[in-house]
Amino acid sequence: PRPGSLADVSRVFSDARGREHEIPEPPRRVVSLVPSLTETLFALGLGGCVVGVTEYCVHPADRVRDLPQVGGTKNPSLERILELEPDLVLANREENRRRDVERLEAGGVPVFVTYARSVREGSDEIGLLGRIGDRVDAAREIQAGIEAAGERARSRAREPAPGVAALIWKKPYMAVGGDTFADDLITQCGGRNVFRDAGRRYPRVEDADLVAARPGV
């Protein structure tokens, strides 16, 4: 085994659903249905095993440009995915539909589901992907960079924390609410999400709501 290899450690991994996946060897053919996970695979040095991506997977541009596309995150072509014969599909509980995951599994394809809702959980998922792909050292390096960036952000934080409105859609406007990765990211960067307590994870907001929230950013 290479330095940092987990070849002598259990190769059973639990995903965000609590499902255990026995992955005896690092996957050789991976289809990613999540743009951020696609980028993470390449950052870990696992780009060579990526055989299919969504139309929204655009980074790293020079590496994903010529990869087969399987449709969008919400409407992937299951037939196309099966044609690519992946030994693992990466999905996300928020980005992808449960029925697509279940149909792929019914077709005999293992689907590993992620669901990071905080910066810490996102970092942990990078570590998990590093273990699955036998790129532990690369994962630790990325995680160290995340921790260092967090420390820099915390050292620059000021009081009172500026109010932040993070809009993700328009017509109608939708914002980031609480219990989301973006909400935690705002907090870690020293901000205060003005729609954290809106009652929904991605609340619909009107112009009047934005005015009333008085965000500084």
Side-chain angles (χ1 to χ4, degrees):
R2 295 178 295 99
S5 168
L6 293 188
D8 57 343
V9 179
S10 171
R11 297 282 303 175
V12 177
F13 306 94
S14 180
D15 72 6
R17 301 169 296 172
R19 296 278 297 274
E20 290 192 341
H21 298 258
E22 185 174 2
I23 308 175
E25 300 289 339
R28 297 179 181 276
R29 298 183 64 80
V30 177
V31 170
S32 172
L33 301 181
V34 189
S36 58
L37 295 183
T38 299
E39 190 170 358
T40 299
L41 289 174
F42 280 93
L44 289 169
L46 294 169
C49 72
V50 179
V51 297
V53 296
T54 74
E55 61 191 60
Y56 300 109
C57 296
V58 296
H59 296 295
D62 60 329
R63 300 292 302 279
V64 301
R65 185 180 300 116
D66 297 324
L67 285 175
Q69 292 187 352
V70 299
T73 56
K74 298 293 191 293
N75 60 344
S77 168
L78 305 188
E79 293 78 9
R80 180 60 174 141
I81 294 172
L82 293 174
E83 287 173 359
L84 293 170
E85 300 182 339
D87 46 28
L88 187 67
V89 171
L90 293 178
N92 180 269
R93 183 173 168 180
E94 192 167 67
E95 286 283 342
N96 309 117
R97 300 184 303 180
R98 178 177 178 178
R99 65 185 182 187
D100 290 330
V101 170
E102 292 176 345
R103 288 173 179 171
L104 285 170
E105 290 180 326
V109 177
V111 182
F112 195 90
V113 178
T114 63
Y115 191 38
R117 287 172 291 172
S118 68
V119 174
R120 170 57 61 191
E121 289 178 358
S123 178
D124 289 344
E125 284 187 354
I126 291 172
L128 185 57
L129 289 176
R131 289 172 55 209
I132 290 173
D134 202 12
R135 292 292 190 275
V136 176
D137 290 343
R140 287 174 178 164
E141 183 176 350
I142 295 172
Q143 290 175 297
I146 293 171
E147 182 58 36
E151 291 177 359
R152 289 195 300 272
R154 288 188 288 273
S155 71
R156 298 171 182 172
R158 56 187 173 86
E159 294 292 343
V164 178
L167 301 179
I168 61 169
W169 200 258
K170 65 179 181 179
K171 295 181 181 180
Y173 281 125
M174 295 178 68
V176 166
D179 191 33
T180 60
F181 178 88
D183 172 73
D184 186 62
L185 182 62
I186 291 168
T187 300
Q188 296 300 322
C189 290
R192 174 182 56 84
N193 181 7
V194 297
F195 292 114
R196 174 178 298 158
D197 300 319
R200 299 184 62 183
R201 299 181 70 233
Y202 297 102
R204 176 175 175 170
V205 297
E206 306 293 342
D207 289 356
D209 299 319
L210 282 169
V211 172
R214 302 180 65 187
V217 179

